[in-house]
Amino acid sequence: MTTETELNQMTSGELVALHNKHAKAAGVPSVKRFATKASAIRRTWAVVELVQKRAAKKTTPAPASKVVTKVAPAKAHEDKILCAGAPPEGRPGIIHAIHSIAAKARILAREELVAKALAEFTPPRSQCYDRAYVLGYIAYGLRQGYLKEA
């Protein structure tokens, strides 16, 4: 491992050699010489530091398993039973879909509403809906009165 103090003690030729040794790994062009010793130290240190950071990333162990464990929903969310409230106004979107699902079913547990909204509502091409997104709109619907707790 090279430190800045070691770089200060090197000659210009040694700095060029060290810079060029690590240049390809760092993705920077090699050099023939530097304008000043200060710029040689600064640029060589930047290359060496970059190579050391990349090496540290490669040596960090990967997670043992990439299996995502399913987290149980919070008890507060499980107990809430929802029904439709006042119909939402404005352009049709996810909140309208959530309201119509709740209106058709009359009464649903929150998780059932999330599952049905994800299964039945097709998002526009520019967006992707997931559980957290739908839960956010359910909370919005509750605040606005589009959904009610039964």
Side-chain angles (χ1 to χ4, degrees):
M1 261 200 146
T2 307
T3 63
E4 283 185 276
T5 54
E6 291 173 351
L7 293 178
N8 285 324
Q9 296 170 355
M10 291 183 172
T11 65
S12 296
E14 292 171 332
L15 288 170
V16 168
L18 182 63
H19 180 276
N20 291 339
K21 176 182 170 188
H22 296 294
K24 188 173 183 179
V28 296
S30 59
V31 296
K32 291 183 181 178
R33 62 188 173 105
F34 291 105
T36 63
K37 186 166 182 175
S39 70
I41 292 169
R42 179 180 45 81
R43 289 175 60 190
T44 303
W45 175 247
V47 168
V48 168
E49 193 175 43
L50 183 62
V51 170
Q52 288 174 351
K53 283 182 184 177
R54 287 184 181 170
K57 282 184 182 178
K58 287 182 182 177
T59 59
T60 54
S65 171
K66 291 192 177 189
V67 175
V68 178
T69 57
K70 188 173 182 179
V71 178
K75 190 70 174 167
H77 293 301
E78 277 183 27
D79 297 335
K80 293 195 178 178
I81 304 296
L82 303 174
C83 61
E89 298 173 3
R91 292 184 0 201
I94 183 72
I95 194 66
H96 290 81
I98 291 170
H99 180 269
S100 76
I101 292 167
K104 286 178 193 172
R106 300 211 187 265
I107 190 164
L108 283 171
R110 181 183 299 245
E111 290 302 318
E112 291 173 359
L113 182 58
V114 170
K116 284 188 176 200
L118 289 172
E120 294 178 18
F121 186 72
T122 305
R125 278 192 243 163
S126 62
Q127 295 177 339
C128 176
Y129 297 161
D130 61 355
R131 183 180 179 280
Y133 186 85
V134 174
L135 281 173
Y137 269 98
I138 289 173
Y140 172 75
L142 286 168
R143 285 192 310 270
Q144 297 298 320
Y146 306 140
L147 298 171
K148 297 180 191 174
E149 290 183 23

